[in-house]
Amino acid sequence: MKTYRIITLNEFIIERQSEFPYAKGELTRLLHHVGIAAKIVHKKVNKAGLVDILGEVGSTNVQGESQKKLDVFADEQFIWAMRASSECCGIASEENEGTIYFDDSLSKDGNYIFCMDPLDGSSNIDVNVSIGTIFSIYRRVSPRGTKPRLEDFLQPGVQQVAAGYVIYGSSTMLVYTTGKGVNGFTLDTSIGEFCLSHEQISTPEQGQLYSINEGNYVHFPMGVKKYIKYCQEKDDDSNRPYSSRYIGSLVADFHRNLMKGGIFMYPQTAASPQGKLRLVYECNPIAFLAEQAGGKATDGKQRILEIVPKHLHERSPFYVGSTNMVEKVEEFIEQNPDNL
Ligand code: AHG
Ligand code: MN
Ligand code: MN
């Protein structure tokens, strides 16, 4: 009988610890707890429809969006996991207006802060379509042992120590980077472990998928409108037309394009001059993963990871995916300036 060596997420993160010369196991412990929360949320997502967890909880979050029960559940689980890790001193979450601080002395001494979109794609929960969790980890800049400050959370994306997402799809996967490539782990539900399934993910330089909410077409900047037409035109080498794919969960749209090659776009419009997606816990972690896999992420002009956030819930236009495709849309944007 053929046997396969299974590498679990926990083994993998412990092995990788040695890549960081001064590592003391703190980040390892924190990532381990991300895995635990992901498994708990996976379990709940899988039961959606069976138990009373669909629908809205009745409250609204900081952005005035109605919160789904699963949003709240995922938020609580990841907060608990971070507290349990004792390595995290504070959290920023899409679901909470202000930052969350842990008061116990171990956590206060923690070196890391955690930013998250606990449940991404929540409009897809009730209709059995893939959703996700996005996370981003920074080393604090304030002294250990003190209460974290806002500046800990408003660091540019280049300072990320780790970032990743969990996709609750046809299988549940955890994909993360610590700045040395991107690795993907699939949850084997029979043993309850995330197992290394996608080692050193690299995304194609050029893909054939474009992902954008074309319902907003008339409101897009001229450069983006023209790029969409370019995607739809036939070219001489039969690369185009590209196929259009849009799920409406950033995690799922990005994951598909990462694997197959493609571009995801969420531009600004006159009504939303900064677009929709949040810089700190949506764009930055996804941009870090994209770059680590050989792709690119910009706001149409500037590298996402170099933007210094001014607010926790700041939004940014977002273009991410295969390098050639992101560079092409940037070209269109540059050649068609408008005042959006
Ligand atoms: P969230 O569910 O965390 O609020 O995020 C939803 C986001 C993102 O996942 C997705 O790419 C985008 O909203 C979809 O927006 P549209 O419905 O405007 O296309
Ligand atoms: Mn989201
Ligand atoms: Mn969300």
Side-chain angles (χ1 to χ4, degrees):
M1 199 177 83
K2 220 171 174 179
T3 52
Y4 296 94
R5 161 138 163 73
I6 293 170
I7 301 176
T8 66
L9 174 66
N10 289 335
E11 282 178 82
F12 187 86
I13 49 187
I14 289 167
E15 271 173 30
R16 288 297 168 105
Q17 193 182 310
S18 58
E19 286 179 355
F20 299 89
Y22 303 107
K24 295 196 282 287
E26 296 170 342
L27 183 64
T28 302
R29 262 190 299 280
L30 200 147
L31 288 169
H32 167 75
H33 280 82
V34 171
I36 294 175
K39 283 191 243 180
I40 296 170
V41 174
H42 154 88
K43 200 94 186 107
K44 199 78 158 179
V45 168
N46 263 235
K47 284 196 181 137
L50 282 176
V51 287
D52 182 30
I53 53 171
L54 292 180
E56 292 172 12
V57 84
S59 52
T60 49
N61 69 6
V62 54
Q63 268 115 145
E65 299 155 341
S66 60
Q67 286 179 304
K68 301 278 181 179
K69 286 181 184 172
L70 260 176
D71 289 309
V72 177
F73 180 83
D75 192 45
E76 285 168 0
Q77 290 310 314
F78 279 91
I79 293 170
W80 275 111
M82 286 307 105
R83 187 193 289 275
S85 78
S86 300
E87 305 296 348
C88 171
C89 58
I91 294 182
S93 162
E94 182 197 359
E95 300 303 327
N96 301 287
E97 179 163 11
T99 49
I100 296 163
Y101 307 112
F102 298 132
D103 243 356
D104 60 288
S105 57
L106 274 178
S107 299
K108 248 180 157 171
D109 208 35
N111 201 16
Y112 295 100
I113 61 120
F114 190 78
C115 306
M116 64 169 164
D117 176 355
L119 217 292
D120 172 66
S122 32
S123 69
N124 284 322
I125 297 170
D126 292 3
V127 287
N128 208 355
V129 172
S130 298
I131 50 180
T133 297
I134 311 174
F135 64 91
S136 167
I137 299 168
Y138 292 84
R139 216 166 268 122
R140 66 190 300 176
V141 288
S142 57
R144 292 176 83 151
T146 64
K147 189 178 164 187
R149 294 198 289 259
L150 193 57
E151 68 201 68
D152 293 320
F153 299 91
L154 299 183
Q155 302 184 55
V158 281
Q159 299 294 348
Q160 286 172 104
V161 172
Y165 58 81
V166 186
I167 176 167
Y168 311 99
S170 39
S171 57
T172 291
M173 275 187 77
L174 192 152
V175 177
Y176 85 99
T177 182
T178 51
K180 294 190 187 297
V182 179
N183 291 284
F185 300 79
T186 303
L187 182 61
D188 181 338
T189 51
S190 64
I191 56 169
E193 293 280 3
F194 281 104
C195 301
L196 182 62
S197 53
H198 298 66
E199 202 171 353
Q200 284 295 334
I201 296 171
S202 95
T203 197
E205 242 188 322
Q206 172 69 49
Q208 292 187 310
L209 299 175
Y210 75 99
S211 310
I212 189 165
N213 184 345
E214 275 184 81
N216 297 330
Y217 182 85
V218 293
H219 305 291
F220 288 153
M222 188 49 72
V224 175
K225 283 183 180 164
K226 289 197 176 166
Y227 177 70
I228 292 173
K229 288 296 154 215
Y230 165 89
C231 293
Q232 296 168 345
E233 279 158 16
K234 192 167 163 29
D235 69 348
D236 295 339
D237 325 320
S238 327
N239 283 325
R240 284 180 286 133
Y242 302 148
S243 288
S244 163
R245 293 282 183 277
Y246 192 73
I247 294 168
S249 298
L250 170 63
V251 166
D253 279 307
F254 174 73
H255 181 74
R256 180 202 52 241
N257 292 358
L258 177 73
M259 295 299 156
K260 295 191 166 187
I263 181 167
F264 174 93
M265 298 174 276
Y266 209 110
Q268 74 274 43
T269 60
S272 312
Q274 289 308 313
K276 177 180 184 186
L277 299 176
R278 279 60 58 111
L279 178 60
V280 172
Y281 42 81
E282 288 181 316
C283 304
N284 267 337
I286 296 292
F288 190 20
L289 289 157
E291 287 196 3
Q292 284 294 315
K296 200 168 173 177
T298 77
D299 68 354
K301 292 178 181 141
Q302 195 189 349
R303 186 179 172 214
I304 286 289
L305 296 182
E306 286 175 5
I307 302 173
V308 182
K310 292 185 192 67
H311 313 285
L312 219 46
H313 300 287
E314 179 171 328
R315 295 172 195 262
S316 171
F318 196 37
Y319 303 85
V320 64
S322 295
T323 299
N324 291 350
M325 301 173 89
V326 175
E327 286 176 353
K328 195 74 188 168
V329 75
E330 281 184 318
E331 240 174 81
F332 275 92
I333 291 170
E334 198 184 347
Q335 286 160 11
N336 297 274
D338 46 14
N339 301 322
L340 279 183

